[in-house]
Amino acid sequence: MRAEIITIGDELCRGEIVNTNASWLAAALWDQQVTVTHMHSCLDIAEDMAQLVREAADRSDLVLLSGGLGPTSDDLTVDMLADLVGAEPVVHEPSAENMRTRFAAAGIALVPNSERQVRAPAGARVYENSTGLAPGFEVSHGDASVIALPGPPRELKAIFADHLVERISELRLARGEKLEHVARRIFRVFGKGESQVATALEGLALGDGASLHYQVKFPETLVKIVVRRDAQEAANAELSKIDADVRERLGWLVYGTDDDSMAKALVRELERLGHTIATAESCTGGMISALLTDVSGVSKSFPGGAVTYSNEEKMRQLGVSEETLKAHGAVSEEVVREMADGVRERMGADWGVAVSGIAGPGGGTKEKPVGTVWIGVAGPSGIRKTKMYCWPWTRERVRALAAHWALNLVRQQLGKL
Amino acid sequence: MRAEIITIGDELCRGEIVNTNASWLAAALWDQQVTVTHMHSCLDIAEDMAQLVREAADRSDLVLLSGGLGPTSDDLTVDMLADLVGAEPVVHEPSAENMRTRFAAAGIALVPNSERQVRAPAGARVYENSTGLAPGFEVSHGDASVIALPGPPRELKAIFADHLVERISELRLARGEKLEHVARRIFRVFGKGESQVATALEGLALGDGASLHYQVKFPETLVKIVVRRDAQEAANAELSKIDADVRERLGWLVYGTDDDSMAKALVRELERLGHTIATAESCTGGMISALLTDVSGVSKSFPGGAVTYSNEEKMRQLGVSEETLKAHGAVSEEVVREMADGVRERMGADWGVAVSGIAGPGGGTKEKPVGTVWIGVAGPSGIRKTKMYCWPWTRERVRALAAHWALNLVRQQLGKL
């Protein structure tokens, strides 16, 4: 099955918003084995919209539109498609009732325009909107199904999940396509670049119907495996074979799967061991603790952290000695070691992690150029680990890498317990 | 002048990446008074690419392509366009020389494929790439100019800035269009929603050739003013008139312009006064200090911060009293006041700012539901300010709002000095 996506709106063509709807729909269709061959955007001009729909319907089996279903005079999708299929736009009563209920609950009065957004071409298959007002709907043009969806991403996603996953399977079956069962996993990989990850996975045994894709999502790499089989058990079994192979090849580089984050993976490990961690940050300035506290329920594992941007605060909050600072400078192995020890002891945590570096753009020297970062980890049973990095990137990237490497080094040490 | 944008690549049509190139180019063209009527994406299939280019060139005056200029066999743009205009693909010698120099410096050997990426159709106008290997180029098809650009965003932007801004003006002049002088400003607005900002700006006097747009960039709203005039002085004068009106209507809601961030604006104010600030964070867990340290050169104004997730750390690091915690709970006016005072005194800063809240999803009660956040500010001359918020949003949004409101409250207090 071949599909095209048409997203409508002046704000897209003026570059005011990035088209996340198109990429979301493309990924959702790809997941259902539908090949998206083209994606288009146009202004809120009915003729342009209709021309794109006609051309797409001639080329493809399925056309998904988004946008132009609101209540204002700029919203032309219902009338344009009604015109295209020679039907009248009519109010969809269940959606109108839903609107009246919502408006009454919020104390908002209906205005004459309100009804515009709960219409569909007469005879269309209507898809109710569980999170908003405008319903989606489907009409036929030639041999193609043309499906219109509202522009707000939340509503578009809800209608897709509630109705279109099933409807697309139905359309594919009707076309004589074989519906396969899918098993998928995203491996979240940190610590090596995409090309090194790809090299490590070269020659990975992927049977028929299994595919592998890479996506760089700085600072990590996502490895996506999709397996399609006639039966779900077969797909799952094949995926778990591939899973084992991926993990053997990538080892500790794989920190998690699917929706994991590095912080989530680390907090999970800390919880499993009943351990706590405290942070001491200079150049990352609170990014590590912000990543950790992004994980809900982290309070069991994280008492707090110290952000010590000045040398005075490194001494006062963490007990770093003035001599060490003078002898080695704030960005040094000795200082991050004292920072990690200090924060661990003072906060009574099992683990302390510390970062000091030169994020730039200023502050570099010949010996310690911009991008130099020291990370220190102190743990139970006398664990001590320090490491230096030097990244030739921007301030933003150096800080993000430093924060992620700090979490990753703790994860590595935890893995050795 | 009417333009269309064609972005090429399987990864776009599979939804693996969001199409930021298209929106960037659309905004850049809109800035030059070029109306983008359509944007298209397609797979790496030469026929599909050629069909889109032909159709776009028939409809429009300018077609911008991006992608498909790399060295691999998937990269088809040069051959496709050479074929379309009936020319041979030829190596562009200055670009080849640039590639050899870069490869030699990095110690990379040239392979036979390498030359693929420094070619252009014979007779094309070539645009050198100052940040990468593949040059851009321009060919004519019918009355339209067709310009190909590499896919990596940095290279696309560099070629646009280095060559196309001027080239597009030239093309517009050749078409008899009047080149107007442009003055523009983005007002960065925080503290009210888009609809309230729009209401405040209703009836703003915008002369002919001036336009206003809104963009929501959570948690702030951007108000963009563009003025076009025959002379630069006239455009500037009109913009400064509008500027005064916008500021009068929005007042302190405008925290900065153009590339400002809330943290940058605050740091600028602190620097002007020679003041310092220290942070005490519970539910934001380091986000405020991370925002502050995102500003390069902040070390003069920011000694450090305390991340006190546990009650013990609130007492130990900030001197919050156990009685206060027991009597009022950690999320309370009394506690953020003690936190702000404590961090200010202990770090010897002019300002202390503190946040304690319930970011969710767990931890809410009937009296203090999820989304409840207290912010406290302590400043010189006995300044004390506390404020409570309750946001019915996700953990992520509550934390982001809390961090921005904390900075904003300090900015407000600074403004009163």
Side-chain angles (χ1 to χ4, degrees):
Chain A
M1 191 170 201
R2 291 157 60 90
E4 306 199 15
I5 296 168
I6 301 174
T7 42
I8 294 162
D10 291 358
E11 67 281 17
L12 291 166
C13 290
R14 285 198 301 245
E16 290 173 6
I17 58 173
V18 174
N19 198 345
T20 54
N21 277 349
S23 53
W24 190 89
L25 286 172
L29 289 169
W30 192 82
D31 260 7
Q32 287 199 260
Q33 292 170 269
V34 177
T35 303
V36 174
T37 61
H38 297 75
M39 307 198 283
H40 314 270
S41 299
C42 67
L43 298 166
D44 294 307
I45 296 173
E47 288 153 58
D48 288 0
M49 292 158 60
Q51 195 195 352
L52 284 178
V53 173
R54 276 194 306 266
E55 288 171 0
D58 284 350
R59 274 187 301 249
S60 302
D61 312 304
L62 176 65
V63 181
L64 288 190
L65 271 88
S66 112
L69 295 186
T72 74
S73 57
D74 284 355
D75 293 303
L76 304 172
T77 303
V78 173
D79 298 275
M80 180 273 293
L81 287 178
D83 200 43
L84 192 77
V85 301
E88 285 298 308
V90 292
V91 167
H92 179 247
E93 203 34 56
S95 298
E97 184 54 34
N98 169 50
M99 177 174 72
R100 286 189 291 265
T101 309
R102 283 176 181 251
F103 276 32
I108 301 171
L110 286 171
V111 293
N113 257 356
S114 304
E115 277 206 339
R116 274 183 68 83
Q117 67 197 314
V118 290
R119 300 174 309 150
R125 181 188 284 258
V126 179
Y127 299 114
E128 290 188 32
N129 183 340
S130 60
T131 62
L133 301 178
F137 59 84
E138 175 182 342
V139 295
S140 296
H141 185 68
D143 291 335
S145 297
V146 178
I147 300 178
L149 296 167
R154 205 172 59 127
E155 302 180 25
L156 172 138
K157 292 176 191 178
I159 293 178
F160 198 96
D162 293 347
H163 309 286
L164 297 192
V165 172
E166 201 186 324
R167 176 61 179 159
I168 288 166
S169 296
E170 201 175 288
L171 289 169
R172 290 187 56 224
L173 273 177
R175 298 175 45 79
E177 293 190 12
K178 203 171 64 177
L179 292 192
E180 290 174 321
H181 292 265
V182 178
R184 63 170 67 79
R185 188 156 300 152
I186 299 172
F187 295 91
R188 305 194 77 110
V189 180
F190 180 84
K192 298 264 186 203
E194 185 192 10
S195 60
Q196 291 157 291
V197 174
T199 303
L201 293 181
E202 228 164 57
L204 188 79
L206 295 166
D208 281 351
S211 61
L212 176 154
H213 298 272
Y214 296 99
Q215 187 186 344
V216 177
K217 208 168 173 181
F218 181 82
E220 53 182 315
T221 301
L222 310 187
V223 177
K224 302 181 181 181
I225 305 278
V226 179
V227 182
R228 303 175 192 283
R229 285 286 186 277
D230 290 339
Q232 191 64 48
E233 295 71 33
N236 294 348
E238 174 69 12
L239 180 62
S240 71
K241 239 174 61 192
I242 299 173
D243 180 288
D245 200 0
V246 167
R247 288 178 192 274
E248 189 177 325
R249 285 159 175 258
L250 297 180
W252 72 275
L253 293 177
V254 176
Y255 74 75
T257 56
D258 300 325
D259 286 336
D260 264 344
S261 67
M262 174 68 77
K264 248 195 235 177
L266 176 58
V267 170
R268 200 166 45 222
E269 271 306 283
L270 291 167
E271 277 177 359
R272 194 177 59 81
L273 295 163
H275 282 188
T276 58
I277 188 168
T279 55
E281 307 186 54
S282 187
C283 71
T284 48
M287 291 171 80
I288 303 174
S289 58
L291 288 170
L292 285 169
T293 55
D294 198 34
V295 181
S296 64
V298 73
S299 53
K300 286 187 294 293
S301 318
F302 178 68
V307 180
T308 55
Y309 223 60
S310 69
N311 284 351
E312 290 68 32
E313 285 301 315
K314 288 183 185 72
M315 295 187 278
R316 192 188 68 83
Q317 290 194 60
L318 302 170
V320 175
S321 81
E322 193 163 5
E323 294 69 44
T324 311
L325 282 163
K326 273 192 183 144
H328 305 281
V331 179
S332 64
E333 181 167 23
E334 291 77 5
V335 165
V336 291
R337 190 177 287 144
E338 291 187 22
M339 287 170 73
D341 282 344
V343 82
R344 177 174 176 266
E345 280 160 30
R346 294 187 177 206
M347 302 208 186
D350 299 290
W351 296 85
V353 60
V355 173
S356 184
I358 303 154
T365 63
K366 205 172 165 191
E367 291 72 36
K368 294 179 186 173
V370 165
T372 304
V373 173
W374 272 100
I375 301 178
V377 176
S381 325
I383 288 177
R384 288 285 187 296
K385 172 83 186 173
T386 52
K387 205 160 173 190
M388 196 200 77
Y389 301 84
C390 192
W391 295 297
W393 315 128
T394 59
R395 178 179 183 85
E396 199 188 344
R397 292 206 152 201
V398 167
R399 280 163 40 95
L401 279 167
H404 282 82
W405 267 109
L407 296 174
N408 202 39
L409 286 182
V410 179
R411 188 177 69 92
Q412 267 185 284
Q413 297 303 314
L414 272 165
K416 292 179 182 168
L417 286 187
Chain B
M1 190 169 201
R2 291 158 61 91
E4 304 198 16
I5 295 168
I6 301 173
T7 42
I8 293 161
D10 291 357
E11 67 282 15
L12 290 166
C13 290
R14 286 198 299 246
E16 289 173 6
I17 58 173
V18 173
N19 198 344
T20 53
N21 276 350
S23 53
W24 190 89
L25 287 173
L29 289 170
W30 191 83
D31 261 6
Q32 286 198 261
Q33 292 171 268
V34 178
T35 303
V36 174
T37 62
H38 297 75
M39 307 199 282
H40 314 270
S41 299
C42 67
L43 297 166
D44 294 308
I45 297 172
E47 289 154 58
D48 288 0
M49 292 157 59
Q51 194 195 353
L52 284 178
V53 173
R54 277 193 306 266
E55 289 171 0
D58 284 349
R59 273 187 302 249
S60 302
D61 312 304
L62 175 65
V63 181
L64 289 190
L65 270 86
S66 114
L69 295 185
T72 74
S73 57
D74 284 354
D75 292 304
L76 304 172
T77 303
V78 174
D79 298 274
M80 180 273 294
L81 287 178
D83 199 43
L84 191 76
V85 301
E88 285 299 308
V90 293
V91 167
H92 179 247
E93 203 34 58
S95 298
E97 184 55 34
N98 169 50
M99 177 175 70
R100 286 189 290 266
T101 310
R102 282 175 181 252
F103 276 30
I108 300 171
L110 284 172
V111 292
N113 257 356
S114 304
E115 276 205 340
R116 273 184 68 83
Q117 67 197 315
V118 290
R119 300 174 310 149
R125 180 188 283 258
V126 179
Y127 300 115
E128 291 188 30
N129 183 341
S130 61
T131 62
L133 301 178
F137 60 85
E138 176 183 341
V139 295
S140 296
H141 185 69
D143 291 335
S145 297
V146 179
I147 300 179
L149 296 166
R154 205 172 59 127
E155 300 181 26
L156 172 138
K157 291 176 191 177
I159 294 178
F160 198 97
D162 293 347
H163 309 286
L164 297 193
V165 172
E166 201 185 324
R167 176 61 179 160
I168 287 167
S169 295
E170 203 175 285
L171 289 169
R172 290 188 55 222
L173 273 177
R175 299 175 44 80
E177 291 190 12
K178 203 171 65 174
L179 291 192
E180 291 175 317
H181 292 264
V182 177
R184 64 171 66 79
R185 188 155 299 150
I186 298 172
F187 295 91
R188 305 195 77 110
V189 180
F190 180 83
K192 298 264 187 202
E194 185 192 10
S195 59
Q196 291 157 293
V197 174
T199 303
L201 292 181
E202 227 164 58
L204 188 79
L206 295 165
D208 280 352
S211 62
L212 175 155
H213 297 274
Y214 296 99
Q215 188 186 345
V216 177
K217 208 168 175 182
F218 181 83
E220 52 180 316
T221 301
L222 309 186
V223 177
K224 302 181 182 182
I225 306 278
V226 179
V227 181
R228 305 175 190 283
R229 286 286 187 275
D230 291 340
Q232 191 64 49
E233 294 71 32
N236 295 348
E238 175 68 12
L239 180 62
S240 71
K241 238 175 60 191
I242 299 173
D243 181 288
D245 201 359
V246 167
R247 288 177 192 274
E248 189 177 324
R249 285 160 176 257
L250 297 181
W252 72 276
L253 293 177
V254 176
Y255 74 74
T257 55
D258 300 326
D259 285 336
D260 265 343
S261 67
M262 174 68 76
K264 246 194 236 177
L266 177 59
V267 171
R268 198 165 49 221
E269 270 307 283
L270 290 167
E271 277 177 358
R272 193 177 61 81
L273 296 163
H275 282 189
T276 58
I277 188 168
T279 54
E281 306 187 55
S282 187
C283 71
T284 48
M287 291 171 78
I288 303 174
S289 58
L291 287 170
L292 286 168
T293 55
D294 198 36
V295 181
S296 64
V298 73
S299 54
K300 287 187 294 293
S301 318
F302 177 69
V307 180
T308 55
Y309 222 59
S310 68
N311 284 351
E312 290 67 34
E313 285 301 315
K314 288 181 184 76
M315 295 188 279
R316 191 188 68 82
Q317 289 195 60
L318 302 169
V320 174
S321 81
E322 194 164 3
E323 295 68 44
T324 311
L325 282 164
K326 274 192 184 147
H328 304 283
V331 179
S332 63
E333 180 166 24
E334 291 77 5
V335 165
V336 291
R337 190 177 285 144
E338 292 187 20
M339 287 171 72
D341 283 344
V343 81
R344 177 174 178 266
E345 280 161 28
R346 296 188 175 204
M347 302 207 185
D350 298 291
W351 296 86
V353 61
V355 173
S356 184
I358 303 154
T365 63
K366 205 173 165 190
E367 292 72 36
K368 294 178 186 174
V370 164
T372 304
V373 173
W374 273 101
I375 302 179
V377 176
S381 324
I383 288 177
R384 286 286 185 297
K385 172 85 186 171
T386 52
K387 206 161 170 189
M388 196 200 78
Y389 300 85
C390 192
W391 295 297
W393 292 317
T394 59
R395 178 178 182 85
E396 197 187 346
R397 293 207 150 199
V398 167
R399 279 163 42 95
L401 278 167
H404 282 84
W405 268 109
L407 296 173
N408 202 38
L409 286 182
V410 179
R411 188 176 70 91
Q412 265 185 288
Q413 297 303 314
L414 273 165
K416 292 180 183 168
L417 287 186

Coordinates of all heavy atoms in Angstrom, one line a residue, chain B residues 25 31 34 50 54 70-71 84 188-189 195 239 241 248 252 267 273 301-302 304 310 312 323 336 352 409 415-416:
Chain B
L25 N 14.2 26.8 5.4 CA 14.2 27.5 4.1 C 12.9 28.3 3.9 O 13.0 29.4 3.4 CB 14.3 26.4 3.0 CG 15.6 25.7 2.8 CD1 15.5 24.6 1.8 CD2 16.7 26.7 2.4
D31 N 11.3 35.7 4.7 CA 12.0 36.9 5.1 C 12.4 37.7 3.9 O 12.7 38.9 4.0 CB 13.3 36.5 5.8 CG 13.2 36.6 7.3 OD1 12.1 36.8 7.8 OD2 14.2 36.3 8.0
V34 N 9.5 36.2 -0.5 CA 9.2 35.1 -1.5 C 8.1 34.3 -0.8 O 8.3 33.8 0.3 CB 10.5 34.3 -1.8 CG1 10.1 33.2 -2.8 CG2 11.6 35.2 -2.4
A50 N 12.3 13.9 -10.1 CA 12.2 14.7 -11.4 C 10.8 15.2 -11.6 O 10.6 16.3 -12.0 CB 12.7 13.8 -12.6
R54 N 9.7 19.1 -12.0 CA 9.0 19.6 -13.2 C 7.8 20.3 -12.9 O 7.5 21.4 -13.3 CB 8.7 18.4 -14.2 CG 9.9 18.0 -15.1 CD 9.4 17.1 -16.2 NE 8.7 15.9 -15.7 CZ 9.3 14.7 -15.5 NH1 10.6 14.6 -15.7 NH2 8.6 13.7 -15.0
G70 N 25.1 13.7 -1.6 CA 26.3 13.0 -1.0 C 27.0 12.1 -1.9 O 26.7 12.1 -3.1
P71 N 27.9 11.2 -1.4 CA 28.8 10.4 -2.3 C 28.2 9.0 -2.6 O 28.8 8.3 -3.4 CB 30.0 10.3 -1.4 CG 29.5 10.3 0.0 CD 28.3 11.2 0.0
L84 N 17.6 16.3 -16.4 CA 16.4 17.1 -16.6 C 16.8 18.3 -17.6 O 15.9 18.7 -18.4 CB 15.9 17.7 -15.3 CG 14.6 18.4 -15.3 CD1 13.4 17.4 -15.4 CD2 14.4 19.2 -14.0
R188 N 10.5 38.7 22.8 CA 10.3 37.5 23.6 C 9.4 37.8 24.8 O 9.8 38.7 25.6 CB 11.7 36.9 24.0 CG 12.5 36.7 22.7 CD 13.7 35.9 23.0 NE 13.3 34.5 23.0 CZ 13.6 33.6 22.1 NH1 14.3 33.9 21.1 NH2 13.2 32.3 22.3
V189 N 8.3 37.1 24.9 CA 7.3 37.5 25.9 C 7.1 36.3 26.8 O 6.9 35.2 26.3 CB 6.0 37.8 25.2 CG1 4.9 38.2 26.2 CG2 6.2 39.0 24.2
S195 N -3.1 34.1 23.7 CA -4.4 34.8 23.4 C -4.4 36.1 24.2 O -4.9 37.2 23.7 CB -5.6 34.0 23.7 OG -5.6 33.6 25.1
L239 N 9.9 50.6 12.6 CA 10.0 49.6 13.6 C 10.2 50.1 15.0 O 9.6 49.6 15.9 CB 11.3 48.7 13.2 CG 11.5 47.5 14.2 CD1 10.3 46.6 14.3 CD2 12.8 46.8 13.8
K241 N 9.0 52.9 16.1 CA 7.7 53.4 16.6 C 6.9 52.2 17.1 O 6.3 52.3 18.2 CB 7.0 54.0 15.4 CG 6.6 55.5 15.7 CD 6.0 56.1 14.4 CE 4.7 55.5 13.9 NZ 4.3 56.0 12.6
E248 N 5.0 49.4 25.4 CA 4.0 50.1 26.3 C 2.9 49.2 26.6 O 2.4 49.1 27.7 CB 3.5 51.4 25.6 CG 2.7 52.2 26.6 CD 2.3 53.5 26.1 OE1 3.0 54.1 25.3 OE2 1.1 53.9 26.4
W252 N 6.4 44.7 31.3 CA 7.5 43.8 31.7 C 7.3 42.4 31.1 O 8.2 41.6 31.3 CB 7.5 43.7 33.2 CG 6.4 43.0 33.8 CD1 5.2 43.5 34.1 CD2 6.4 41.6 34.2 NE1 4.4 42.5 34.6 CE2 5.1 41.3 34.7 CE3 7.3 40.6 34.1 CZ2 4.7 40.1 35.1 CZ3 6.9 39.3 34.6 CH2 5.6 39.1 35.1
V267 N 20.8 37.6 33.4 CA 22.3 37.7 33.7 C 22.7 39.1 33.2 O 23.6 39.7 33.9 CB 23.0 36.6 33.0 CG1 24.5 36.8 33.0 CG2 22.7 35.2 33.6
L273 N 24.2 45.6 37.2 CA 24.2 46.0 38.6 C 25.4 45.5 39.4 O 25.6 45.9 40.6 CB 22.9 45.6 39.3 CG 21.6 46.2 38.7 CD1 20.4 45.4 39.2 CD2 21.5 47.7 39.2
S301 N 28.4 36.3 37.8 CA 27.2 36.5 38.5 C 26.6 35.4 39.3 O 25.6 35.5 40.0 CB 26.1 36.9 37.4 OG 26.6 37.8 36.5
F302 N 27.2 34.2 39.1 CA 26.6 33.0 39.7 C 27.7 32.1 40.4 O 28.4 31.4 39.7 CB 26.0 32.2 38.5 CG 25.4 30.9 39.0 CD1 24.3 30.8 39.8 CD2 26.0 29.6 38.6 CE1 23.7 29.6 40.2 CE2 25.4 28.4 39.0 CZ 24.3 28.4 39.8
G304 N 27.0 29.6 42.6 CA 26.5 28.3 42.6 C 25.1 28.1 43.1 O 24.4 29.1 43.3
S310 N 15.8 16.3 49.2 CA 15.3 15.7 50.4 C 15.1 16.9 51.5 O 15.8 17.9 51.4 CB 16.2 14.7 50.9 OG 17.4 15.3 51.3
E312 N 16.2 16.6 54.5 CA 17.5 16.6 55.2 C 18.4 17.6 54.5 O 19.1 18.4 55.1 CB 18.1 15.3 55.2 CG 17.4 14.2 56.1 CD 16.1 13.8 55.5 OE1 15.9 13.8 54.3 OE2 15.1 13.6 56.3
E323 N 11.3 22.7 62.3 CA 9.9 23.1 62.7 C 9.1 23.6 61.5 O 7.9 23.3 61.4 CB 10.0 24.2 63.8 CG 10.6 23.7 65.1 CD 12.1 23.4 65.0 OE1 12.8 24.2 64.3 OE2 12.6 22.4 65.5
V336 N 10.0 28.0 51.2 CA 10.8 28.6 50.1 C 11.4 29.9 50.6 O 12.5 30.3 50.1 CB 10.0 28.9 48.8 CG1 9.7 27.5 48.1 CG2 8.8 29.7 49.0
G352 N 18.9 35.4 46.2 CA 18.6 34.0 46.4 C 17.3 33.7 45.8 O 16.3 34.5 46.0
L409 N 10.6 36.0 38.2 CA 10.4 36.8 39.5 C 11.6 37.6 39.9 O 11.4 38.7 40.4 CB 9.9 35.8 40.6 CG 8.5 35.3 40.4 CD1 8.1 34.4 41.6 CD2 7.4 36.4 40.3
G415 N 14.0 44.8 38.5 CA 13.4 45.9 37.7 C 12.9 47.0 38.7 O 12.8 48.2 38.3
K416 N 12.7 46.6 39.9 CA 12.1 47.6 40.9 C 13.2 48.4 41.6 O 12.9 49.3 42.3 CB 11.3 46.9 41.9 CG 10.0 46.3 41.3 CD 9.2 45.6 42.4 CE 7.9 45.0 41.8 NZ 7.2 44.1 42.7

